Amino acid sequence: MPEVDVTKDEILAHLSEVKDPEVPVLDVVEMGIVRDVRVEGNTLHVDITPTYSGCPAMKAIADEIVRTLHERGFPKVEVHTVFREAWTTDWMTEAARRKLRAYGIAPPPERAGEANPGMIPLTTVAVPKPVPCPFCGSEDTRLTSAFGATPCKSLHFCNACRQPFEHFKGI
Amino acid sequence: MTLDALDTATKTALFEYLLRLGDDALILGHRLSEWCGHGPYLEEDIALANIALDCLGHANALLGLAGEVEGAGQSADDLAFFRDAIEFRNVQLVELPRGDFAFTIARQFLFSAYAHLLYEGLRESTFEPLAGIAAKAYKEVSYHLRHSSEWMLRLGDGTDESHRRTQQALNDLWMYTGELFEADDVLHALVEAGIAPDVPAARSRWKDMVTTVLEAATLQLPPEPPYMASGGRTGFHTEHLGHLLAEMQFLPRAYPDATW
């Protein structure tokens, strides 16, 4: 079988058409899920990293990556899950943050990966900053639940415009 | 350090160790998932389902790695669904029936504090694939610990009834916490090799963490029980594990090739 002749940028361009099934405005490249792509002989290897260990979307994403690349004419595609370094919302691009906000989901704070550790113990936890409302921009909001419809999101309520909203948690 | 660099004795110990960690996460995840649709209110139903999902994710990664280390071609699913109770290596704490909400939260709190210590140290494992899984899991159990800590505070410092039930749960659970800190040859060998953190040596840190929250929650540290339960790590379990496995394993055993 002939060697595959394709640049990394071309592969990434194809992969930017693969959306996150849970947050369909984002693609897997701008989310930082795609860690590396490389060609070895006739095989295209794609390394992906899970946003959360048990994220059920990862299987769907891996299948979609294979399907998309097959469609673009690459018959042999292997998707590998890599854990290290652990995925952080810091890898999300600025464009991804803008898209999230426009979609009605408050984006994660910047540099959450560095700031995150202060989760415990309870009595030494810094009070988290209020998440600005994605609809009206008010900071007069409160956390309703640290867990949402998907592992990556938390639930909030805006006291100003009286709207519930989701927030992509910083991790 | 990668898999190829390990000698046979280390691989054997590591396989055993990964089963312990993976089985803890798997069985706890199953118990938490039993709340799905039964949570006290919608947000908590979702929270427990989310935490269960994280646990199952940890189990999947750890048991998958166990299969690779063993090198006999067993997948994470093979290990989860085609072993019997005596082959499971989880602590008895995680297999106890879910009980009432206070019992579930108290167990989750005690286990999350332990898991936080465990993964914190495991991030520095010299065995790279395990360090990677731990780095991910550490971030997630931080959320679990915070969540269960906040609930301990609300339940303990809540109504007379919530206080009573939570204290009761702690007292009932305490004799199952010793197993989390047991040391044996498997652990010694891996600590020596820099693969596993010495969690038993950090037991007083765990107790400090737990005590801080209990005090804030007006709860009492349970009295030292006459003895600590033991045996899960060597396959001796309560009668509850068999029932749990019967439910968990029924489908894959009845239809081994089922996919969806």
Side-chain angles (χ1 to χ4, degrees), chain A residues 49-56 83-89 113 116-128 143-153 155 169-171, chain B residues 41 43-44 46-48 50-51 53-54 56-58 60-61 116 123-125 128-129 131-133 135-147 149-150 153 209 212-213 216:
Chain A
T49 205
T51 52
Y52 281 78
S53 301
C55 179
F83 283 94
R84 197 161 209 186
E85 301 290 325
W87 183 82
T88 163
T89 41
N116 180 52
M119 303 303 291
I120 21 216
L122 180 74
T123 48
T124 61
V125 168
V127 178
L143 174 72
T144 333
S145 173
F147 297 89
T150 62
C152 51
K153 286 177 283 183
L155 301 175
K169 287 189 275 197
I171 190 167
Chain B
Y41 61 95
E43 282 80 3
E44 190 51 26
I46 292 169
L48 291 175
N50 263 298
I51 296 172
L53 204 53
D54 285 343
L56 296 181
H58 304 161
N60 188 38
H116 192 256
R123 293 179 305 173
E124 309 303 323
S125 174
E128 283 142 22
I133 294 169
K136 180 90 247 164
Y138 176 71
K139 293 185 178 200
E140 290 157 5
V141 297
S142 297
Y143 272 96
H144 305 173
L145 179 55
R146 178 175 177 145
H147 182 75
S149 297
E150 286 175 348
L153 191 62
M209 264 159 102
T212 307
V213 174

Side-chain angles (χ1 to χ4, degrees), chain A residues 64-124:
Chain A
E64 189 61 17
I65 285 174
V66 172
R67 198 188 62 79
T68 302
L69 292 174
H70 278 174
E71 257 177 26
R72 298 296 186 279
F74 304 101
K76 285 202 73 181
V77 179
E78 285 186 25
V79 179
H80 312 275
T81 303
V82 295
F83 283 94
R84 197 161 209 186
E85 301 290 325
W87 183 82
T88 163
T89 41
D90 297 355
W91 295 345
M92 229 182 238
T93 64
E94 197 43 51
R97 289 164 197 269
R98 275 198 303 276
K99 285 186 206 170
L100 270 181
R101 201 176 291 115
Y103 191 58
I105 297 175
E110 288 182 27
R111 291 188 297 283
E114 295 165 32
N116 180 52
M119 303 303 291
I120 21 216
L122 180 74
T123 48
T124 61

Side-chain angles (χ1 to χ4, degrees), chain B residues 12-254:
Chain B
T12 307
L14 182 55
F15 174 63
E16 182 71 21
Y17 182 66
L18 289 169
L19 289 184
R20 294 176 183 183
L21 303 191
D23 289 349
D24 282 352
L26 177 68
I27 301 301
L28 183 60
H30 185 88
R31 280 294 184 225
L32 285 169
S33 72
E34 290 175 350
W35 280 98
C36 194
H38 301 274
Y41 61 95
L42 183 60
E43 282 80 3
E44 190 51 26
D45 201 278
I46 292 169
L48 291 175
N50 263 298
I51 296 172
L53 204 53
D54 285 343
C55 289
L56 296 181
H58 304 161
N60 188 38
L62 292 162
L63 294 178
L65 186 57
E68 283 178 42
V69 170
E70 186 194 27
Q74 295 203 79
S75 68
D77 280 357
D78 292 333
L79 289 167
F81 296 117
F82 297 96
R83 279 183 299 148
D84 287 324
I86 198 166
E87 296 165 284
F88 270 76
R89 293 291 177 260
N90 58 280
V91 290
Q92 294 177 3
L93 175 72
V94 297
E95 72 200 33
L96 300 173
R98 68 180 187 271
D100 62 10
F101 186 63
F103 188 90
T104 287
I105 290 297
R107 164 166 57 194
Q108 195 58 34
F109 167 63
L110 296 171
F111 186 86
S112 299
Y114 154 81
H116 192 256
L117 272 182
L118 167 74
Y119 289 123
E120 182 185 57
L122 206 52
R123 293 179 305 173
E124 309 303 323
S125 174
T126 53
F127 184 51
E128 283 142 22
L130 188 50
I133 294 169
K136 180 90 247 164
Y138 176 71
K139 293 185 178 200
E140 290 157 5
V141 297
S142 297
Y143 272 96
H144 305 173
L145 179 55
R146 178 175 177 145
H147 182 75
S148 55
S149 297
E150 286 175 348
W151 265 116
M152 289 301 285
L153 191 62
R154 254 176 270 168
L155 294 175
D157 198 15
T159 64
D160 288 347
E161 178 70 358
S162 72
H163 178 94
R164 186 187 65 75
R165 287 199 192 198
T166 312
Q167 186 65 56
Q168 186 64 53
L170 280 170
N171 295 349
D172 292 345
L173 283 161
W174 202 253
M175 64 175 275
Y176 293 96
T177 59
E179 255 191 307
L180 297 168
F181 302 95
E182 282 178 357
D184 64 358
D185 289 346
V186 168
L187 188 64
H188 288 313
L190 296 175
V191 170
E192 183 87 355
I195 292 173
D198 192 352
V199 171
R203 189 175 185 169
S204 63
R205 263 186 71 205
W206 174 81
K207 205 168 168 183
D208 288 346
M209 264 159 102
V210 167
T211 308
T212 307
V213 174
L214 293 192
E215 278 176 2
T218 74
L219 294 161
Q220 302 291 320
L221 202 65
E224 277 309 307
Y227 65 91
M228 283 286 180
S230 180
R233 297 298 191 208
T234 47
F236 291 92
H237 294 282
T238 66
E239 71 270 32
H240 308 296
L241 183 63
H243 294 280
L244 184 153
L245 293 182
E247 185 184 334
M248 191 182 92
Q249 297 183 334
F250 168 76
L251 190 105
R253 284 186 185 257

